[in-house]
Amino acid sequence: MPRVGVLALQGDVREHVAMLVNIGAEVVTVRQAEQLDDLDGLILPGGESTSIAYLLTTSGIRPVLEKKLADGLSVFGTCAGLILLSREILDGRADQWSFASLDVSVRRNGYGRQIASFEQPVDVVGVGEVPGVFIRAPRIETWGSELEVLATLDHGDGGHPVLVRQGNVWGCSFHPELTTDSRVHQLFTDSL
Amino acid sequence: MSSLHNSSTVGSALVKRGLADMLRGGVIMDVVNPEQAKIAEDSGAVAVMALERVPSDIRRDGGVARMSDPQMIKEIQATVTIPVMAKARIGHFAEAQILQALDVDYIDESEVLTPADEENHIDKWDFTVPFVCGATNLGEALRRIGEGACLIRSKGEAGTGNVVEAVRHLRTINAQMRRLQSADASELFALAKDLGAPLLLVQEVAATGKLPVPLFCAGGISTPADASLVLQLGAEAVFVGSGIFKSEDPIRMAKAIVEATTHFRDASVVARVSTGLGAAMRGAETASLEMRLAERGW
C-alpha cells in the first residue's frame, strides 16, 4: 500500500484524500515539513496557486519539498498544483515562484475566468475517456521534448496537453478529484 | 448550463460548486480599491470581494448600498490573479446580470447591500456565474441552494468586528443538520415543512450530514483567533470584511488570518501569528446596533 501525502495548506484536499482512500492508499495530510518524510508520493491539490505558494513559504515546506523533488519524490499536481510545478508561469503575479520540475509553460486562467470554466471528457493514454472538470484552469502553452503527454484536449483551441508526466513528476490542468472516476489517481499511485 | 462545442459544457453545478471547493481553507477579503486587492493577494488571500464600502462604513454612512461601480471592479480584476467576487443586492437580478457581463468569478447576493426585492431572491439557476448567499439557519441555507446558490456563508453580523452572530449561525446550521441526521425518513417531511426548505435537499442533508455545497463563514471575523474558532466549528473558509482594512496594521492582520485559517487546529501557530498584531477593528456590541443586516433575506 503506497503512502501518499496530500498537501493540505489550502484547496480541495478532502476530495484527493477520499480518492486515495478509495483506491487503497495510506494517506497523510501535509501541513508541516516533517510530514513529508517517508512518503512514496505527494499530491499538490487544486486551490489558489498564489495562496498555496505563500503558505508553502510561511510553513517552511518549500525548501524541504524542493529537496525532495530533486531527490526524486513522486509528485502529482492538479490545477494549482500543476502551476506550482511548472517551469514557467504566464499571466501570474510578477513575483510568482514555482518548483520548476515540469518543463512546461502554463498560462494561468488560460481557458478563461470562472464563467468559461467547463466540463469536457479527456482521453487519457492507456486509460480511456475520463471526465474532465476545468475550473479557471491553467493551460499548458509550450512544453519540452522530455515531457510525456498523457492526454491532449481540443477545447476549440487547436489542442493543448492536459495531463503530463516528466519522470516522477505529474501534472494535470483539470480536477479528476472532483469526479467519481479514480483512474487518473490510480495511474499515479501505480507508478509509485 | 450551455454547450460550447462538441461535448463541452459551461456553467454546470460541478464547475460552479467546484470553484468554491478550490477556495476551501482560504480567506476571502473585502477590498475597496486595487491597492487593497494587491495587499490581499500578497498576503495569501484566495479571492477578493470588490465593493465600494466595507460593511462597517456602510453601517456608519447609511443610505442605500448598491452594486459597485464596474470601473472599480475592472481595475481590481486587472490588478490581481485570484478570483474576484462582487456583491449584488438581494433580488436585484439586473445587477447580477451586469456582474456576470463583467466576468466576475462569483456573485454574492448580499444582505450587506440594501435589498431590492423583499419577496424574492435572484433565480440563480439562470446564470453561468456561480452565486454565494448568506444564511442564518439551515432552512435559509437550503432555500438559497434551491434557488441555485453554489456556496453558503453563515451571515454573522457584517461590519461589527463581533464574531458572536457568526458563531450563532454556524452552530444553528450544524445543530439543525444533526437533527436531520437523527430523524427517521417519515419525520423528514414535517421537518422540511418546519425548515421551509425543499424536501429533496432536506433528504440529502439527512443522508450526508452536510450541505450539498461548501459552507463558509462571514460577518464579524476580525482576529486570527476568530478564524480558528469558526473553522473549528465547521466553516470551510472565511470571508473577512472590515476586519482587515479597519485594523491597525492591515498587512500583518491579513497574513495572520491567512495562516490561522490554514493551521486553525494548531494553537501554537495561531498564538504566534496573533502576537504583536496591533489593534483589531474596534467593533460593536450586537445589542447596540441600529441595523441588523442578518435579518435581511429570508
Side-chain angles (χ1 to χ4, degrees), chain A residues 124-171:
Chain A
V124 178
V125 172
V127 170
E129 199 172 273
V130 302
V133 183
F134 295 79
I135 298 173
R136 284 172 50 95
R139 191 168 69 183
I140 296 176
E141 302 286 2
T142 60
W143 55 98
S145 55
E146 285 181 31
L147 207 77
E148 192 181 343
V149 176
L150 296 170
T152 299
L153 183 81
D154 186 355
H155 187 58
D157 54 10
H160 291 257
V162 292
L163 174 62
V164 297
R165 175 181 184 181
Q166 186 171 355
N168 291 329
V169 184
W170 302 56

mmCIF file of all heavy atoms in Angstrom, chain A residues 124-171:
data_model
loop_
_atom_site.group_PDB
_atom_site.id
_atom_site.type_symbol
_atom_site.label_atom_id
_atom_site.label_comp_id
_atom_site.label_asym_id
_atom_site.label_seq_id
_atom_site.Cartn_x
_atom_site.Cartn_y
_atom_site.Cartn_z
ATOM 1 N N VAL A 124 -7.355 9.730 -21.941
ATOM 2 C CA VAL A 124 -6.039 9.521 -21.332
ATOM 3 C C VAL A 124 -5.390 8.268 -21.914
ATOM 4 O O VAL A 124 -6.015 7.200 -21.985
ATOM 5 C CB VAL A 124 -6.172 9.382 -19.797
ATOM 6 C CG1 VAL A 124 -4.813 9.103 -19.163
ATOM 7 C CG2 VAL A 124 -6.800 10.631 -19.199
ATOM 8 N N VAL A 125 -4.144 8.407 -22.328
ATOM 9 C CA VAL A 125 -3.401 7.296 -22.925
ATOM 10 C C VAL A 125 -3.392 6.094 -21.979
ATOM 11 O O VAL A 125 -3.048 6.222 -20.805
ATOM 12 C CB VAL A 125 -1.942 7.732 -23.222
ATOM 13 C CG1 VAL A 125 -1.096 6.529 -23.667
ATOM 14 C CG2 VAL A 125 -1.908 8.832 -24.272
ATOM 15 N N GLY A 126 -3.795 4.963 -22.473
ATOM 16 C CA GLY A 126 -3.755 3.730 -21.685
ATOM 17 C C GLY A 126 -4.894 3.589 -20.702
ATOM 18 O O GLY A 126 -4.985 2.592 -19.984
ATOM 19 N N VAL A 127 -5.759 4.585 -20.608
ATOM 20 C CA VAL A 127 -6.851 4.553 -19.644
ATOM 21 C C VAL A 127 -8.197 4.642 -20.347
ATOM 22 O O VAL A 127 -9.123 3.885 -20.063
ATOM 23 C CB VAL A 127 -6.735 5.714 -18.620
ATOM 24 C CG1 VAL A 127 -8.000 5.829 -17.772
ATOM 25 C CG2 VAL A 127 -5.523 5.513 -17.716
ATOM 26 N N GLY A 128 -8.299 5.574 -21.284
ATOM 27 C CA GLY A 128 -9.564 5.820 -21.964
ATOM 28 C C GLY A 128 -10.134 7.157 -21.540
ATOM 29 O O GLY A 128 -9.420 8.010 -21.001
ATOM 30 N N GLU A 129 -11.430 7.301 -21.768
ATOM 31 C CA GLU A 129 -12.043 8.607 -21.525
ATOM 32 C C GLU A 129 -12.373 8.794 -20.043
ATOM 33 O O GLU A 129 -13.030 7.952 -19.442
ATOM 34 C CB GLU A 129 -13.319 8.694 -22.373
ATOM 35 C CG GLU A 129 -13.798 10.108 -22.568
ATOM 36 C CD GLU A 129 -14.943 10.156 -23.581
ATOM 37 O OE1 GLU A 129 -14.643 10.259 -24.783
ATOM 38 O OE2 GLU A 129 -16.112 10.093 -23.165
ATOM 39 N N VAL A 130 -11.932 9.909 -19.485
ATOM 40 C CA VAL A 130 -12.274 10.252 -18.093
ATOM 41 C C VAL A 130 -12.965 11.618 -18.114
ATOM 42 O O VAL A 130 -12.757 12.412 -19.024
ATOM 43 C CB VAL A 130 -11.020 10.307 -17.178
ATOM 44 C CG1 VAL A 130 -10.281 8.981 -17.185
ATOM 45 C CG2 VAL A 130 -10.095 11.448 -17.568
ATOM 46 N N PRO A 131 -13.813 11.885 -17.096
ATOM 47 C CA PRO A 131 -14.452 13.202 -17.058
ATOM 48 C C PRO A 131 -13.414 14.288 -16.777
ATOM 49 O O PRO A 131 -12.546 14.105 -15.918
ATOM 50 C CB PRO A 131 -15.457 13.089 -15.903
ATOM 51 C CG PRO A 131 -15.111 11.852 -15.152
ATOM 52 C CD PRO A 131 -14.238 11.000 -16.004
ATOM 53 N N GLY A 132 -13.513 15.374 -17.506
ATOM 54 C CA GLY A 132 -12.580 16.479 -17.303
ATOM 55 C C GLY A 132 -13.322 17.686 -16.743
ATOM 56 O O GLY A 132 -14.272 18.163 -17.354
ATOM 57 N N VAL A 133 -12.911 18.147 -15.578
ATOM 58 C CA VAL A 133 -13.530 19.319 -14.950
ATOM 59 C C VAL A 133 -12.478 20.415 -14.901
ATOM 60 O O VAL A 133 -11.464 20.276 -14.213
ATOM 61 C CB VAL A 133 -14.029 18.999 -13.525
ATOM 62 C CG1 VAL A 133 -14.742 20.208 -12.931
ATOM 63 C CG2 VAL A 133 -14.939 17.783 -13.528
ATOM 64 N N PHE A 134 -12.702 21.473 -15.667
ATOM 65 C CA PHE A 134 -11.705 22.550 -15.795
ATOM 66 C C PHE A 134 -12.259 23.811 -15.152
ATOM 67 O O PHE A 134 -13.261 24.361 -15.621
ATOM 68 C CB PHE A 134 -11.393 22.809 -17.271
ATOM 69 C CG PHE A 134 -10.718 21.653 -17.970
ATOM 70 C CD1 PHE A 134 -11.454 20.555 -18.396
ATOM 71 C CD2 PHE A 134 -9.346 21.669 -18.181
ATOM 72 C CE1 PHE A 134 -10.823 19.481 -19.039
ATOM 73 C CE2 PHE A 134 -8.713 20.607 -18.826
ATOM 74 C CZ PHE A 134 -9.454 19.516 -19.254
ATOM 75 N N ILE A 135 -11.619 24.285 -14.067
ATOM 76 C CA ILE A 135 -12.117 25.437 -13.319
ATOM 77 C C ILE A 135 -11.040 26.512 -13.291
ATOM 78 O O ILE A 135 -9.995 26.319 -12.664
ATOM 79 C CB ILE A 135 -12.509 25.012 -11.889
ATOM 80 C CG1 ILE A 135 -13.646 23.979 -11.968
ATOM 81 C CG2 ILE A 135 -12.923 26.216 -11.057
ATOM 82 C CD1 ILE A 135 -14.001 23.358 -10.660
ATOM 83 N N ARG A 136 -11.287 27.619 -13.972
ATOM 84 C CA ARG A 136 -10.253 28.657 -14.083
ATOM 85 C C ARG A 136 -8.905 27.973 -14.341
ATOM 86 O O ARG A 136 -7.898 28.278 -13.711
ATOM 87 C CB ARG A 136 -10.194 29.510 -12.806
ATOM 88 C CG ARG A 136 -11.325 30.529 -12.675
ATOM 89 C CD ARG A 136 -11.318 31.214 -11.298
ATOM 90 N NE ARG A 136 -10.026 31.730 -10.935
ATOM 91 C CZ ARG A 136 -9.610 32.983 -11.120
ATOM 92 N NH1 ARG A 136 -10.420 33.873 -11.654
ATOM 93 N NH2 ARG A 136 -8.414 33.365 -10.753
ATOM 94 N N ALA A 137 -8.932 27.053 -15.260
ATOM 95 C CA ALA A 137 -7.811 26.122 -15.397
ATOM 96 C C ALA A 137 -6.604 26.762 -16.073
ATOM 97 O O ALA A 137 -6.745 27.616 -16.946
ATOM 98 C CB ALA A 137 -8.264 24.907 -16.204
ATOM 99 N N PRO A 138 -5.412 26.320 -15.662
ATOM 100 C CA PRO A 138 -4.200 26.744 -16.369
ATOM 101 C C PRO A 138 -4.106 25.991 -17.688
ATOM 102 O O PRO A 138 -4.555 24.847 -17.788
ATOM 103 C CB PRO A 138 -3.083 26.302 -15.424
ATOM 104 C CG PRO A 138 -3.647 25.132 -14.687
ATOM 105 C CD PRO A 138 -5.132 25.386 -14.562
ATOM 106 N N ARG A 139 -3.557 26.629 -18.701
ATOM 107 C CA ARG A 139 -3.383 25.946 -19.982
ATOM 108 C C ARG A 139 -1.892 25.803 -20.277
ATOM 109 O O ARG A 139 -1.138 26.772 -20.166
ATOM 110 C CB ARG A 139 -4.070 26.716 -21.101
ATOM 111 C CG ARG A 139 -4.137 25.906 -22.400
ATOM 112 C CD ARG A 139 -5.064 26.534 -23.408
ATOM 113 N NE ARG A 139 -4.509 27.772 -23.915
ATOM 114 C CZ ARG A 139 -5.135 28.576 -24.771
ATOM 115 N NH1 ARG A 139 -6.352 28.284 -25.186
ATOM 116 N NH2 ARG A 139 -4.567 29.680 -25.186
ATOM 117 N N ILE A 140 -1.506 24.597 -20.636
ATOM 118 C CA ILE A 140 -0.104 24.341 -20.997
ATOM 119 C C ILE A 140 0.113 24.884 -22.404
ATOM 120 O O ILE A 140 -0.499 24.422 -23.355
ATOM 121 C CB ILE A 140 0.214 22.837 -20.920
ATOM 122 C CG1 ILE A 140 0.062 22.349 -19.471
ATOM 123 C CG2 ILE A 140 1.615 22.552 -21.463
ATOM 124 C CD1 ILE A 140 0.256 20.858 -19.276
ATOM 125 N N GLU A 141 0.987 25.888 -22.512
ATOM 126 C CA GLU A 141 1.183 26.571 -23.796
ATOM 127 C C GLU A 141 2.344 25.980 -24.581
ATOM 128 O O GLU A 141 2.249 25.795 -25.785
ATOM 129 C CB GLU A 141 1.411 28.067 -23.564
ATOM 130 C CG GLU A 141 0.278 28.773 -22.809
ATOM 131 C CD GLU A 141 -0.971 29.003 -23.661
ATOM 132 O OE1 GLU A 141 -0.979 28.583 -24.830
ATOM 133 O OE2 GLU A 141 -1.941 29.592 -23.153
ATOM 134 N N THR A 142 3.449 25.729 -23.919
ATOM 135 C CA THR A 142 4.604 25.096 -24.586
ATOM 136 C C THR A 142 5.178 24.060 -23.631
ATOM 137 O O THR A 142 4.983 24.147 -22.416
ATOM 138 C CB THR A 142 5.707 26.123 -24.927
ATOM 139 O OG1 THR A 142 6.155 26.736 -23.715
ATOM 140 C CG2 THR A 142 5.202 27.201 -25.878
ATOM 141 N N TRP A 143 5.879 23.062 -24.195
ATOM 142 C CA TRP A 143 6.411 22.001 -23.356
ATOM 143 C C TRP A 143 7.666 21.415 -23.986
ATOM 144 O O TRP A 143 7.845 21.463 -25.205
ATOM 145 C CB TRP A 143 5.360 20.923 -23.092
ATOM 146 C CG TRP A 143 4.751 20.317 -24.323
ATOM 147 C CD1 TRP A 143 5.111 19.138 -24.906
ATOM 148 C CD2 TRP A 143 3.689 20.858 -25.126
ATOM 149 N NE1 TRP A 143 4.332 18.911 -26.014
ATOM 150 C CE2 TRP A 143 3.461 19.932 -26.178
ATOM 151 C CE3 TRP A 143 2.906 22.019 -25.058
ATOM 152 C CZ2 TRP A 143 2.474 20.146 -27.153
ATOM 153 C CZ3 TRP A 143 1.937 22.228 -26.031
ATOM 154 C CH2 TRP A 143 1.721 21.301 -27.064
ATOM 155 N N GLY A 144 8.511 20.868 -23.135
ATOM 156 C CA GLY A 144 9.798 20.349 -23.596
ATOM 157 C C GLY A 144 9.682 18.941 -24.161
ATOM 158 O O GLY A 144 8.675 18.248 -23.971
ATOM 159 N N SER A 145 10.737 18.498 -24.846
ATOM 160 C CA SER A 145 10.701 17.200 -25.525
ATOM 161 C C SER A 145 10.747 16.039 -24.532
ATOM 162 O O SER A 145 10.389 14.912 -24.860
ATOM 163 C CB SER A 145 11.878 17.103 -26.502
ATOM 164 O OG SER A 145 13.090 17.349 -25.805
ATOM 165 N N GLU A 146 11.192 16.290 -23.301
ATOM 166 C CA GLU A 146 11.274 15.198 -22.331
ATOM 167 C C GLU A 146 9.933 14.927 -21.663
ATOM 168 O O GLU A 146 9.798 14.013 -20.853
ATOM 169 C CB GLU A 146 12.313 15.525 -21.252
ATOM 170 C CG GLU A 146 13.722 15.362 -21.770
ATOM 171 C CD GLU A 146 14.749 15.666 -20.690
ATOM 172 O OE1 GLU A 146 14.452 15.423 -19.511
ATOM 173 O OE2 GLU A 146 15.811 16.153 -21.056
ATOM 174 N N LEU A 147 8.963 15.741 -22.018
ATOM 175 C CA LEU A 147 7.666 15.612 -21.390
ATOM 176 C C LEU A 147 6.844 14.512 -22.058
ATOM 177 O O LEU A 147 6.766 14.446 -23.281
ATOM 178 C CB LEU A 147 6.920 16.940 -21.519
ATOM 179 C CG LEU A 147 5.899 17.197 -20.432
ATOM 180 C CD1 LEU A 147 6.590 17.612 -19.155
ATOM 181 C CD2 LEU A 147 4.924 18.269 -20.885
ATOM 182 N N GLU A 148 6.250 13.664 -21.228
ATOM 183 C CA GLU A 148 5.348 12.644 -21.751
ATOM 184 C C GLU A 148 3.928 13.212 -21.683
ATOM 185 O O GLU A 148 3.468 13.542 -20.589
ATOM 186 C CB GLU A 148 5.484 11.410 -20.869
ATOM 187 C CG GLU A 148 4.850 10.170 -21.412
ATOM 188 C CD GLU A 148 5.024 8.992 -20.433
ATOM 189 O OE1 GLU A 148 5.882 9.060 -19.526
ATOM 190 O OE2 GLU A 148 4.265 8.035 -20.574
ATOM 191 N N VAL A 149 3.291 13.341 -22.823
ATOM 192 C CA VAL A 149 1.918 13.882 -22.837
ATOM 193 C C VAL A 149 0.936 12.723 -22.759
ATOM 194 O O VAL A 149 0.853 11.892 -23.672
ATOM 195 C CB VAL A 149 1.673 14.730 -24.101
ATOM 196 C CG1 VAL A 149 0.216 15.206 -24.138
ATOM 197 C CG2 VAL A 149 2.613 15.930 -24.123
ATOM 198 N N LEU A 150 0.202 12.638 -21.664
ATOM 199 C CA LEU A 150 -0.724 11.516 -21.439
ATOM 200 C C LEU A 150 -2.138 11.840 -21.899
ATOM 201 O O LEU A 150 -2.962 10.939 -22.047
ATOM 202 C CB LEU A 150 -0.725 11.125 -19.956
ATOM 203 C CG LEU A 150 0.612 10.593 -19.436
ATOM 204 C CD1 LEU A 150 0.598 10.471 -17.920
ATOM 205 C CD2 LEU A 150 0.924 9.238 -20.067
ATOM 206 N N ALA A 151 -2.432 13.115 -22.076
ATOM 207 C CA ALA A 151 -3.747 13.497 -22.608
ATOM 208 C C ALA A 151 -3.657 14.886 -23.216
ATOM 209 O O ALA A 151 -2.999 15.772 -22.672
ATOM 210 C CB ALA A 151 -4.805 13.478 -21.511
ATOM 211 N N THR A 152 -4.308 15.023 -24.339
ATOM 212 C CA THR A 152 -4.411 16.320 -25.015
ATOM 213 C C THR A 152 -5.885 16.623 -25.180
ATOM 214 O O THR A 152 -6.685 15.719 -25.424
ATOM 215 C CB THR A 152 -3.739 16.249 -26.405
ATOM 216 O OG1 THR A 152 -2.356 15.943 -26.214
ATOM 217 C CG2 THR A 152 -3.843 17.573 -27.146
ATOM 218 N N LEU A 153 -6.257 17.882 -25.012
ATOM 219 C CA LEU A 153 -7.665 18.254 -25.154
ATOM 220 C C LEU A 153 -7.792 19.385 -26.163
ATOM 221 O O LEU A 153 -7.078 20.383 -26.067
ATOM 222 C CB LEU A 153 -8.225 18.718 -23.811
ATOM 223 C CG LEU A 153 -9.720 19.054 -23.843
ATOM 224 C CD1 LEU A 153 -10.545 17.787 -23.747
ATOM 225 C CD2 LEU A 153 -10.098 20.003 -22.710
ATOM 226 N N ASP A 154 -8.715 19.186 -27.096
ATOM 227 C CA ASP A 154 -9.017 20.283 -28.019
ATOM 228 C C ASP A 154 -10.276 20.990 -27.535
ATOM 229 O O ASP A 154 -11.383 20.491 -27.692
ATOM 230 C CB ASP A 154 -9.206 19.750 -29.446
ATOM 231 C CG ASP A 154 -9.370 20.906 -30.433
ATOM 232 O OD1 ASP A 154 -9.421 22.079 -29.990
ATOM 233 O OD2 ASP A 154 -9.440 20.636 -31.646
ATOM 234 N N HIS A 155 -10.082 22.147 -26.950
ATOM 235 C CA HIS A 155 -11.213 22.937 -26.450
ATOM 236 C C HIS A 155 -11.467 24.087 -27.429
ATOM 237 O O HIS A 155 -11.573 25.253 -27.049
ATOM 238 C CB HIS A 155 -10.887 23.463 -25.044
ATOM 239 C CG HIS A 155 -12.043 24.152 -24.377
ATOM 240 N ND1 HIS A 155 -13.243 23.531 -24.147
ATOM 241 C CD2 HIS A 155 -12.183 25.407 -23.883
ATOM 242 C CE1 HIS A 155 -14.074 24.382 -23.554
ATOM 243 N NE2 HIS A 155 -13.453 25.528 -23.389
ATOM 244 N N GLY A 156 -11.491 23.721 -28.704
ATOM 245 C CA GLY A 156 -11.687 24.744 -29.728
ATOM 246 C C GLY A 156 -10.466 25.625 -29.890
ATOM 247 O O GLY A 156 -10.542 26.717 -30.449
ATOM 248 N N ASP A 157 -9.332 25.169 -29.355
ATOM 249 C CA ASP A 157 -8.118 25.992 -29.369
ATOM 250 C C ASP A 157 -6.955 25.261 -30.033
ATOM 251 O O ASP A 157 -5.798 25.586 -29.806
ATOM 252 C CB ASP A 157 -7.753 26.396 -27.935
ATOM 253 C CG ASP A 157 -7.638 25.184 -27.011
ATOM 254 O OD1 ASP A 157 -7.660 24.037 -27.517
ATOM 255 O OD2 ASP A 157 -7.533 25.380 -25.792
ATOM 256 N N GLY A 158 -7.284 24.233 -30.806
ATOM 257 C CA GLY A 158 -6.232 23.506 -31.512
ATOM 258 C C GLY A 158 -5.591 22.380 -30.721
ATOM 259 O O GLY A 158 -4.825 21.595 -31.272
ATOM 260 N N GLY A 159 -5.900 22.299 -29.422
ATOM 261 C CA GLY A 159 -5.392 21.204 -28.618
ATOM 262 C C GLY A 159 -4.174 21.572 -27.796
ATOM 263 O O GLY A 159 -3.202 22.136 -28.301
ATOM 264 N N HIS A 160 -4.266 21.279 -26.501
ATOM 265 C CA HIS A 160 -3.144 21.502 -25.583
ATOM 266 C C HIS A 160 -3.050 20.298 -24.648
ATOM 267 O O HIS A 160 -4.069 19.692 -24.319
ATOM 268 C CB HIS A 160 -3.384 22.762 -24.740
ATOM 269 C CG HIS A 160 -3.325 24.027 -25.529
ATOM 270 N ND1 HIS A 160 -2.247 24.878 -25.525
ATOM 271 C CD2 HIS A 160 -4.221 24.576 -26.379
ATOM 272 C CE1 HIS A 160 -2.477 25.900 -26.331
ATOM 273 N NE2 HIS A 160 -3.676 25.744 -26.856
ATOM 274 N N PRO A 161 -1.844 19.962 -24.185
ATOM 275 C CA PRO A 161 -1.731 18.863 -23.222
ATOM 276 C C PRO A 161 -2.494 19.229 -21.941
ATOM 277 O O PRO A 161 -2.457 20.389 -21.506
ATOM 278 C CB PRO A 161 -0.230 18.794 -22.926
ATOM 279 C CG PRO A 161 0.443 19.500 -24.049
ATOM 280 C CD PRO A 161 -0.530 20.545 -24.510
ATOM 281 N N VAL A 162 -3.181 18.235 -21.352
ATOM 282 C CA VAL A 162 -3.885 18.497 -20.087
ATOM 283 C C VAL A 162 -3.460 17.536 -18.980
ATOM 284 O O VAL A 162 -3.794 17.739 -17.819
ATOM 285 C CB VAL A 162 -5.420 18.456 -20.267
ATOM 286 C CG1 VAL A 162 -5.897 19.637 -21.126
ATOM 287 C CG2 VAL A 162 -5.889 17.142 -20.853
ATOM 288 N N LEU A 163 -2.733 16.458 -19.365
ATOM 289 C CA LEU A 163 -2.164 15.551 -18.365
ATOM 290 C C LEU A 163 -0.773 15.183 -18.854
ATOM 291 O O LEU A 163 -0.630 14.663 -19.971
ATOM 292 C CB LEU A 163 -3.038 14.293 -18.204
ATOM 293 C CG LEU A 163 -2.496 13.186 -17.289
ATOM 294 C CD1 LEU A 163 -2.320 13.666 -15.854
ATOM 295 C CD2 LEU A 163 -3.418 11.960 -17.318
ATOM 296 N N VAL A 164 0.234 15.506 -18.049
ATOM 297 C CA VAL A 164 1.615 15.297 -18.487
ATOM 298 C C VAL A 164 2.441 14.661 -17.374
ATOM 299 O O VAL A 164 2.067 14.681 -16.199
ATOM 300 C CB VAL A 164 2.287 16.640 -18.896
ATOM 301 C CG1 VAL A 164 1.575 17.277 -20.079
ATOM 302 C CG2 VAL A 164 2.347 17.606 -17.716
ATOM 303 N N ARG A 165 3.566 14.105 -17.802
ATOM 304 C CA ARG A 165 4.451 13.454 -16.848
ATOM 305 C C ARG A 165 5.887 13.677 -17.300
ATOM 306 O O ARG A 165 6.189 13.615 -18.490
ATOM 307 C CB ARG A 165 4.144 11.955 -16.828
ATOM 308 C CG ARG A 165 5.078 11.169 -15.954
ATOM 309 C CD ARG A 165 4.752 9.684 -15.975
ATOM 310 N NE ARG A 165 5.639 9.004 -15.047
ATOM 311 C CZ ARG A 165 5.658 7.708 -14.815
ATOM 312 N NH1 ARG A 165 4.799 6.924 -15.451
ATOM 313 N NH2 ARG A 165 6.509 7.184 -13.959
ATOM 314 N N GLN A 166 6.734 13.962 -16.353
ATOM 315 C CA GLN A 166 8.166 14.047 -16.649
ATOM 316 C C GLN A 166 8.884 13.287 -15.540
ATOM 317 O O GLN A 166 9.081 13.812 -14.446
ATOM 318 C CB GLN A 166 8.615 15.506 -16.713
ATOM 319 C CG GLN A 166 10.045 15.667 -17.158
ATOM 320 C CD GLN A 166 10.403 17.120 -17.435
ATOM 321 O OE1 GLN A 166 9.558 18.011 -17.387
ATOM 322 N NE2 GLN A 166 11.664 17.368 -17.725
ATOM 323 N N GLY A 167 9.220 12.034 -15.805
ATOM 324 C CA GLY A 167 9.817 11.208 -14.762
ATOM 325 C C GLY A 167 8.832 10.998 -13.639
ATOM 326 O O GLY A 167 7.723 10.507 -13.850
ATOM 327 N N ASN A 168 9.217 11.429 -12.436
ATOM 328 C CA ASN A 168 8.367 11.220 -11.260
ATOM 329 C C ASN A 168 7.361 12.336 -11.039
ATOM 330 O O ASN A 168 6.621 12.302 -10.055
ATOM 331 C CB ASN A 168 9.233 11.124 -9.986
ATOM 332 C CG ASN A 168 10.045 9.858 -9.975
ATOM 333 O OD1 ASN A 168 9.617 8.833 -10.510
ATOM 334 N ND2 ASN A 168 11.224 9.923 -9.387
ATOM 335 N N VAL A 169 7.397 13.324 -11.896
ATOM 336 C CA VAL A 169 6.543 14.487 -11.658
ATOM 337 C C VAL A 169 5.401 14.526 -12.669
ATOM 338 O O VAL A 169 5.629 14.430 -13.876
ATOM 339 C CB VAL A 169 7.356 15.798 -11.709
ATOM 340 C CG1 VAL A 169 6.471 16.988 -11.364
ATOM 341 C CG2 VAL A 169 8.527 15.718 -10.735
ATOM 342 N N TRP A 170 4.192 14.639 -12.137
ATOM 343 C CA TRP A 170 2.980 14.597 -12.953
ATOM 344 C C TRP A 170 2.197 15.890 -12.766
ATOM 345 O O TRP A 170 2.212 16.487 -11.679
ATOM 346 C CB TRP A 170 2.047 13.462 -12.497
ATOM 347 C CG TRP A 170 2.606 12.072 -12.517
ATOM 348 C CD1 TRP A 170 3.735 11.614 -11.890
ATOM 349 C CD2 TRP A 170 2.028 10.932 -13.179
ATOM 350 N NE1 TRP A 170 3.903 10.269 -12.124
ATOM 351 C CE2 TRP A 170 2.859 9.830 -12.904
ATOM 352 C CE3 TRP A 170 0.882 10.754 -13.966
ATOM 353 C CZ2 TRP A 170 2.584 8.552 -13.396
ATOM 354 C CZ3 TRP A 170 0.604 9.484 -14.447
ATOM 355 C CH2 TRP A 170 1.458 8.403 -14.173
ATOM 356 N N GLY A 171 1.495 16.286 -13.808
ATOM 357 C CA GLY A 171 0.632 17.458 -13.647
ATOM 358 C C GLY A 171 -0.586 17.360 -14.547
ATOM 359 O O GLY A 171 -0.515 16.790 -15.637
#
